[in-house]
Amino acid sequence: MSYCTNLDSHPPSSPCCSSKLPSMAPLFFLLLFGQILLCTAVDTINSTTPLTGTQKIVSPGNKFILGFYSPTQSNTASSGSGNYYIAIWYSNIPIQTTVWTATTNVPVSDPTTASFEIATDGNLVLLDQAKNQQLWSTNVSVAPNSTMAIIRDSGSLDLIDASNSSIIYWRSLDHPTNTWLPGGKLMLNKTTGVTQRLFPWKNNADPSPGLFSLQLDPNGTAQYFIQWNKSINYWTSGTWNGVIFSLVPEMTAGYNYDFQFVSNATENYFTYTMKDNSILSRLIMDVNGQIKQWTWVTSTQQWILFWSQPKTQCEVYAVCGVYGSCNANTLPFCNCIKGYSQKVQSDWDLQDFSGGCKRNVPLQCQTNSSSRQAKPDKFYTMAGVRLPDNAQSAAGTSSRECEVACLSNCLCNAYTYNSSGCFVWPADLVNLQEEYRGNGVGTLFLRLAASELPDPKKSKTAIIGGVIGGVAAVLIILAIVLFFLFQKRRRDRTLRVSKTAGGALIAFRYSDLQHVTNNFAEKLGGGAFGSVFKGKLPDSTAIAVKRLDGFHQGEKQFRAEVSTIGTTQHVNLVRLLGFCSEGSRKLLVYEFMPKGSLEVQLFPGETTTLSWAIRYQIALGTARGLNYLHEKCRDCIIHCDVKPDNILLDESFVPKVSDFGLAKLLGRDFSRVLTTMRGTRGYLAPEWISGVPITAKADVFSYGMMLLEIISGRRNADHGDDAFFPTLAASILHEGDVQTLLDPRLKGDADHDELTRACKVACWCIQDDESTRPTTGQIAQILEGLLDVNMPPVPRSLAVLGESPNAINFFSDLSSSQTTQTQNSTTSSQTHSATSGSSQP
Ligand SMILES: *[C@@H]1O[C@H](CO)[C@@H](O)[C@H](O)[C@H]1NC(C)=O
Ligand SMILES: *[C@@H]1O[C@H](CO)[C@@H](O)[C@H](O)[C@H]1NC(C)=O
Ligand SMILES: *[C@@H]1O[C@H](CO)[C@@H](O)[C@H](O)[C@H]1NC(C)=O
Ligand SMILES: *[C@@H]1O[C@H](CO)[C@@H](O)[C@H](O)[C@H]1NC(C)=O
Ligand SMILES: *[C@@H]1O[C@H](CO)[C@@H](O)[C@H](O)[C@H]1NC(C)=O
Ligand SMILES: *[C@@H]1O[C@H](CO)[C@@H](O)[C@H](O)[C@H]1NC(C)=O
Ligand SMILES: *[C@@H]1O[C@H](CO)[C@@H](O)[C@H](O)[C@H]1NC(C)=O
Ligand SMILES: *[C@@H]1O[C@H](CO)[C@@H](O)[C@H](O)[C@H]1NC(C)=O
Ligand SMILES: *[C@@H]1O[C@H](CO)[C@@H](O)[C@H](O)[C@H]1NC(C)=O
Ligand SMILES: *[C@@H]1O[C@H](CO)[C@@H](O)[C@H](O)[C@H]1NC(C)=O
């Protein structure tokens, strides 16, 4: 703890928190200035005080502002012809974040000629005087000349009775647009059968409703659906079981929230509120069809995402539109498939991919002239994809016959041939996913015009056989000779570099890395921060080259961080061998790990290569590696992203922690990416959400979650049925039956003492209060058997406090021993620190 707690006051050594805004001062001024102006601001609009131009109303506690708002189009070159919308946004955070907009078909182009006012019919309306048009209305029946509007600290704009503010006719909170705030309802009106829907913005610059929507089941069951185009369901919450939605077990960890589901004769709705009102939290329907819960983290001045559904972006129906393909491992995750390009480029630029792609060159049968396009269409092979929807079975008993079947139908866009036979796609291709491993994986043969797939051999002959054939041949021979000479020199140089460098880091040239990776041919993995490729140095050393995408830090900082990472060496850390920095091209070169990641070794398959002894060795080695990062090296390094993907295994399954130091290297991008990519969130400590400074104990939490997965052999979230595994593990531990937690593939073949120790350590690691989590040094000692460990309490955030019948049973069974254990926990952690000699406060 000692070295790491003061991170926040010492930005250079604070990897996780380095995103602290350097430009805070000017922003702070702006806020102050804003507040002074707003002192005279009011929170109401009445019949004599319309809102126009730059005027705003502010909630009494200065939490929310309502006014005209123009979405920033920062990431586009498209003409930013100012479009204005009436919107509500948070007043005291530096990132302007809207929570509600008055959805209009036509935006306002000049707010000074528009007004948001109480009309004589009593409704709140948006008028465009220039066009003499009513653009929006609350549209409720009220008595004329009797109402006014007020903005509340809850973020709601209410239409109320002018003489009695407790009579509310309309609340924006119950008519959400893309944001579901605490206290809001998303209801089913049983009288009318109408549901309230949460729609995403169409794109990042246009608040009008997009294709996706979240709504309660109109048939009256207690579950929410996310739909595409108001018709196709691609996600369901499962039904409300009195405590949580059955398919959202993560809700049991939502200890900052109160949940409620109301169902009676007139309405059904779910609502959530914050236990602590000072925490800002919002659920949004994202432009790309995921619902996301964001929380404001004061210490880093950022929104942090800690929950989203569907879990991965590519599960969203038709998210990349027709002829688009989704790849969960790249950013952006949508691309057009080969031979196709974006239908509307400007939409894609604004992150709206739903428009999809169009064919570049028509097929042979689609063109009229037979002389021009004489060549028959060809097929492009896409292996390892999720096959698109709407396949049609066709005649054909071999791949060749299937190809002919496809060619004979002008509408056929693609075919596949698998053990169930021949299938063709006469309709548009939707829901294609690349680098896919789940159900419905296959190889797609995509039909393209011949010109899209030029035959390299033929084109070469054509040139040689041409008029200048002779000359060309000479030139080519010359070029080949030069090329080989150049290659040889280059190889020599690389060799020299790697030999002279010794223990220090090698500064590679980009061209050298291109060469040793065979132009980035063999991809080992992709991730949020860039892709990793296999390479081989001239002396046959295998390497892994990580190409960092979207790197925005300066050159000096890059070199400083890289040199820190390079000097951080330990048997349980992946070693950095070198780097490349040429302009925006930043690459890191690591030693190659033949057995891949723990993720790859642990989860898949019916059988497992990882025996209990190996698993224990991995757990212990990882703890030692992390301990080195936390305590033994000169600057404390918090990893921030401990998960099975980042634990690599060498030939004999010795674990090596990878990607350490990237948090600091990538700064603000890191935590953005960290919290938005799949696979990471299950490991994040609660303090990422609650906003307290991140310490090394955040890594301990992630380690604990990972250790539970090492024990069970399954992802914590994947245990299906009803229980969230960590919760289950903590309670089973108390019942003493640890063998039931063990990976069934091991068939009980594990040392009972080791298993118990590992389970106890894991449960201590995932405690909410970071001071009760052990240090990585203590973890290593416990696993080594040098320290004894007490029974851990059930983590508060993971238990359903008092609400779940199971939890009630559990607590009442153990209520007497519970208190003693909690007391013991304090004592035990003190004992630990005394024994291990580490400094605990
Ligand atoms: C409207 O509000 C303003 C300022 O809040 C106040 O001065 C005025 O009397 C109000 N008008 C009516 C009709 O309530
Ligand atoms: C307003 O309400 C009327 C009837 O109550 C309805 O016909 C009309 O479509 C509504 N307009 C909007 C914009 O909702
Ligand atoms: C409402 O107020 C307007 C102007 O203040 C007035 O012209 C109108 O007659 C009033 N309507 C009713 C129903 O009182
Ligand atoms: C305001 O309305 C509420 C609810 O209709 C009522 O209980 C209360 O007596 C009213 N207050 C006044 C001052 O009229
Ligand atoms: C349901 O809709 C009807 C008609 O619009 C309305 O009168 C009623 O108040 C609504 N019910 C609820 C619970 O909002
Ligand atoms: C509602 O019920 C009808 C009839 O049982 C069914 O066809 C429809 O799919 C259901 N809708 C949803 C959203 O489940
Ligand atoms: C959405 O559905 C409507 C019919 O309900 C259809 O007209 C429209 O084309 C669909 N949109 C897309 C993008 O397919
Ligand atoms: C249904 O529940 C809502 C909210 O609790 C309440 O306002 C309403 O009166 C209830 N309706 C019936 C018929 O019980
Ligand atoms: C083919 O010819 C028809 C009629 O001559 C014409 O309408 C069509 O646009 C042509 N199609 C192409 C792709 O040239
Ligand atoms: C073969 O491909 C079709 C079309 O996508 C699919 O429906 C079917 O399940 C596949 N069969 C096997 C055995 O993968």
Side-chain angles (χ1 to χ4, degrees):
M1 291 266 302
S2 46
Y3 332 128
C4 303
T5 32
N6 59 358
L7 285 176
D8 217 18
S9 58
H10 192 305
S13 65
S14 113
C16 299
C17 314
S18 56
S19 46
K20 208 157 196 183
L21 294 178
S23 53
M24 259 321 260
L27 274 169
F28 187 59
F29 261 105
L30 267 182
L31 284 178
L32 262 187
F33 188 52
Q35 256 158 9
I36 291 162
L37 277 185
L38 298 171
C39 281
T40 57
V42 286
D43 58 359
T44 55
I45 297 173
N46 64 28
S47 53
T48 58
T49 57
L51 187 100
T52 183
T54 57
Q55 289 172 341
K56 294 176 173 56
I57 57 172
V58 182
S59 72
N62 188 27
K63 291 198 163 166
F64 289 93
I65 298 179
L66 177 139
F68 283 96
Y69 160 82
S70 181
T72 49
Q73 304 190 343
S74 53
N75 55 351
T76 59
S78 72
S79 63
S81 64
N83 284 341
Y84 288 84
Y85 303 85
I86 281 290
I88 300 173
W89 60 91
Y90 293 94
S91 112
N92 41 23
I93 63 172
I95 301 171
Q96 192 177 25
T97 310
T98 62
V99 297
W100 182 82
T101 46
T103 309
T104 58
N105 295 328
V106 190
V108 169
S109 51
D110 179 5
T112 57
T113 65
S115 94
F116 195 52
E117 62 182 54
I118 299 288
T120 47
D121 72 354
N123 274 301
L124 187 60
V125 296
L126 175 61
L127 299 177
D128 191 337
Q129 264 111 10
K131 295 190 192 118
N132 197 16
Q133 209 178 10
Q134 178 177 311
L135 299 176
W136 182 86
S137 163
T138 47
N139 211 16
V140 286
S141 44
V142 281
N145 294 355
S146 67
T147 55
M148 64 182 211
I150 182 166
I151 177 94
R152 312 270 196 191
D153 281 332
S154 62
S156 189
L157 175 69
D158 293 356
L159 183 67
I160 57 174
D161 195 285
S163 52
N164 183 344
S165 65
S166 53
I167 301 176
I168 300 170
Y169 300 113
W170 183 92
R171 297 203 309 162
S172 69
L173 211 53
D174 298 337
H175 294 83
T177 50
N178 72 336
T179 307
W180 188 353
L181 283 174
K185 297 181 189 177
L186 203 59
M187 63 123 90
L188 162 68
N189 183 331
K190 285 186 175 165
T191 326
T192 58
V194 173
T195 55
Q196 196 74 50
R197 288 173 188 261
L198 199 66
F199 283 104
W201 283 22
K202 185 169 180 328
N203 60 43
N204 286 343
D206 182 358
S208 62
L211 269 179
F212 309 102
S213 60
L214 173 73
Q215 64 157 355
L216 254 182
D217 182 4
N219 286 355
T221 68
Q223 64 184 320
Y224 281 88
F225 292 116
I226 307 183
Q227 294 184 324
W228 175 84
N229 200 17
K230 294 191 184 175
S231 52
I232 292 173
N233 290 347
Y234 60 85
W235 179 81
T236 167
S237 64
T239 49
W240 178 255
N241 65 13
V243 182
I244 61 167
F245 289 105
S246 58
L247 300 180
V248 193
E250 305 94 303
M251 282 176 82
T252 54
Y255 66 105
N256 275 327
Y257 301 85
D258 284 318
F259 304 122
Q260 192 192 4
F261 193 91
V262 173
S263 175
N264 61 28
T266 53
E267 59 188 332
N268 275 3
Y269 69 88
F270 170 78
T271 187
Y272 72 97
T273 49
M274 304 304 295
K275 288 212 170 86
D276 175 354
N277 267 329
S278 67
I279 295 178
L280 305 183
S281 185
R282 63 199 171 99
L283 184 144
I284 67 151
M285 182 82 203
D286 181 69
V287 170
N288 294 305
Q290 277 178 305
I291 49 174
K292 296 182 168 173
Q293 186 86 41
W294 296 88
T295 298
W296 181 255
V297 179
T298 314
S299 63
T300 64
Q301 295 286 297
Q302 281 179 305
W303 287 104
I304 287 284
L305 176 111
F306 70 100
W307 182 80
S308 68
Q309 291 290 345
K311 284 227 168 56
T312 65
Q313 185 64 69
C314 295
E315 287 170 67
V316 174
Y317 184 83
V319 64
C320 301
V322 293
Y323 305 107
S325 82
C326 192
N327 186 334
N329 298 324
T330 63
L331 286 175
F333 47 85
C334 283
N335 282 296
C336 289
I337 55 179
K338 186 162 178 68
Y340 288 78
S341 52
Q342 287 91 338
K343 233 183 241 167
V344 187
Q345 180 67 49
S346 56
D347 284 348
W348 280 64
D349 292 341
L350 292 165
Q351 306 290 305
D352 172 17
F353 309 109
S354 60
C357 310
K358 58 177 195 301
R359 195 183 274 287
N360 294 334
V361 182
L363 297 175
Q364 186 193 25
C365 61
Q366 291 169 338
T367 55
N368 288 337
S369 115
S370 50
S371 58
R372 268 265 158 117
Q373 249 286 345
K375 285 191 207 146
D377 299 331
K378 292 185 178 175
F379 287 89
Y380 174 71
T381 310
M382 298 177 79
V385 297
R386 177 175 68 193
L387 293 171
D389 294 356
N390 306 321
Q392 282 186 7
S393 147
T397 54
S398 70
S399 187
R400 177 68 204 147
E401 281 178 36
C402 197
E403 183 179 318
V404 171
C406 184
L407 280 174
S408 67
N409 177 357
C410 192
L411 292 175
C412 175
N413 288 310
Y415 78 91
T416 190
Y417 184 80
N418 60 25
S419 53
S420 338
C422 171
F423 296 88
V424 296
W425 279 269
D428 290 339
L429 306 181
V430 289
N431 271 350
L432 196 62
Q433 185 178 340
E434 286 174 274
E435 290 186 39
Y436 179 72
R437 281 190 234 120
N439 272 344
V441 65
T443 300
L444 188 75
F445 298 94
L446 186 65
R447 183 178 181 185
L448 295 176
S451 64
E452 289 282 336
L453 297 169
D455 187 339
K457 225 187 272 166
K458 271 186 192 154
S459 62
K460 206 182 272 174
T461 348
I463 295 170
I464 297 170
V467 186
I468 52 161
V471 184
V474 171
L475 285 179
I476 286 172
I477 291 167
L478 202 65
I480 291 173
V481 169
L482 282 175
F483 178 75
F484 275 111
L485 278 177
F486 187 63
Q487 288 292 83
K488 189 175 166 354
R489 262 191 50 207
R490 188 192 269 180
R491 223 172 287 145
D492 293 349
R493 195 179 55 227
T494 319
L495 197 62
R496 208 169 49 237
V497 164
S498 54
K499 276 196 175 149
T500 52
L505 286 182
I506 309 169
F508 288 93
R509 290 157 47 139
Y510 187 73
S511 53
D512 290 340
L513 290 180
Q514 254 178 327
H515 175 64
V516 299
T517 57
N518 202 359
N519 204 13
F520 303 107
E522 191 179 341
K523 192 167 170 182
L524 292 172
F529 313 118
S531 307
V532 185
F533 301 89
K534 190 175 175 182
K536 198 171 244 182
L537 292 181
D539 64 359
S540 298
T541 315
I543 54 169
V545 179
K546 188 178 199 90
R547 205 166 57 188
L548 299 174
D549 294 336
F551 184 85
H552 303 304
Q553 303 331 63
E555 181 68 28
K556 221 166 136 191
Q557 199 191 342
F558 178 80
R559 294 206 175 235
E561 292 314 324
V562 160
S563 102
T564 309
I565 297 174
T567 52
T568 309
Q569 296 181 7
H570 182 266
V571 62
N572 293 118
L573 298 177
V574 174
R575 200 169 143 208
L576 184 70
L577 302 174
F579 65 95
C580 164
S581 175
E582 287 176 13
S584 63
R585 284 172 172 161
K586 308 282 185 208
L587 300 96
L588 299 176
V589 178
Y590 291 99
E591 57 179 339
F592 174 75
M593 288 294 130
K595 288 283 192 267
S597 72
L598 176 59
E599 163 91 12
V600 169
Q601 295 287 342
L602 185 61
F603 295 128
E606 301 296 308
T607 57
T608 176
T609 42
L610 298 184
S611 68
W612 175 254
I614 288 178
R615 291 181 199 213
Y616 204 73
Q617 165 191 318
I618 291 171
L620 181 56
T622 305
R624 286 184 182 141
L626 288 174
N627 181 235
Y628 185 82
L629 291 179
H630 289 169
E631 297 179 7
K632 303 286 163 59
C633 55
R634 202 156 42 94
D635 298 316
C636 156
I637 296 177
I638 302 177
H639 190 291
C640 301
D641 196 15
V642 176
K643 57 181 177 182
D645 304 73
N646 282 337
I647 309 302
L648 304 185
L649 303 170
D650 79 358
E651 196 54 61
S652 42
F653 293 100
V654 172
K656 312 236 177 192
V657 178
S658 80
D659 275 6
F660 57 88
L662 286 194
K664 202 171 157 201
L665 184 63
L666 297 172
R668 191 203 302 226
D669 286 333
F670 181 83
S671 47
R672 178 182 59 77
V673 163
L674 178 66
T675 48
T676 48
M677 289 300 283
R678 76 189 167 121
T680 290
R681 289 184 301 278
Y683 308 93
L684 282 189
E687 52 265 31
W688 281 93
I689 297 158
S690 63
V692 302
I694 301 296
T695 70
K697 293 296 184 69
D699 281 351
V700 170
F701 184 94
S702 311
Y703 174 88
M705 294 301 259
M706 185 174 82
L707 183 51
L708 287 171
E709 296 185 330
I710 293 177
I711 294 166
S712 73
R714 281 191 288 174
R715 290 187 180 82
N716 288 332
D718 277 0
H719 286 252
D721 36 42
D722 38 22
F724 184 50
F725 185 69
T727 321
L728 189 70
S731 28
I732 287 180
L733 189 55
H734 279 267
E735 288 153 13
D737 192 13
V738 288
Q739 289 289 344
T740 58
L741 298 174
L742 185 65
D743 187 342
R745 292 175 297 177
L746 292 177
K747 305 200 169 62
D749 188 8
D751 180 301
H752 185 78
D753 281 351
E754 286 181 355
L755 179 58
T756 312
R757 236 178 282 144
C759 289
K760 282 186 185 169
V761 168
C763 288
W764 274 114
C765 289
I766 59 176
Q767 297 295 316
D768 303 294
D769 179 358
E770 55 172 58
S771 64
T772 59
R773 296 178 207 152
T775 66
T776 40
Q778 291 166 344
I779 296 170
Q781 288 186 308
I782 295 164
L783 293 178
E784 282 162 352
L786 299 175
L787 269 183
D788 258 352
V789 62
N790 286 331
M791 193 59 86
V794 175
R796 182 167 38 93
S797 69
L798 299 176
V800 189
L801 287 173
E803 283 153 325
S804 145
N806 290 337
I808 292 167
N809 286 343
F810 169 62
F811 279 121
S812 53
D813 284 345
L814 289 151
S815 54
S816 53
S817 53
Q818 190 75 33
T819 5
T820 5
Q821 274 147 10
T822 318
Q823 284 162 356
N824 283 352
S825 78
T826 337
T827 343
S828 80
S829 72
Q830 277 161 1
T831 329
H832 291 167
S833 42
T835 330
S836 67
S838 88
S839 43
Q840 194 95 24

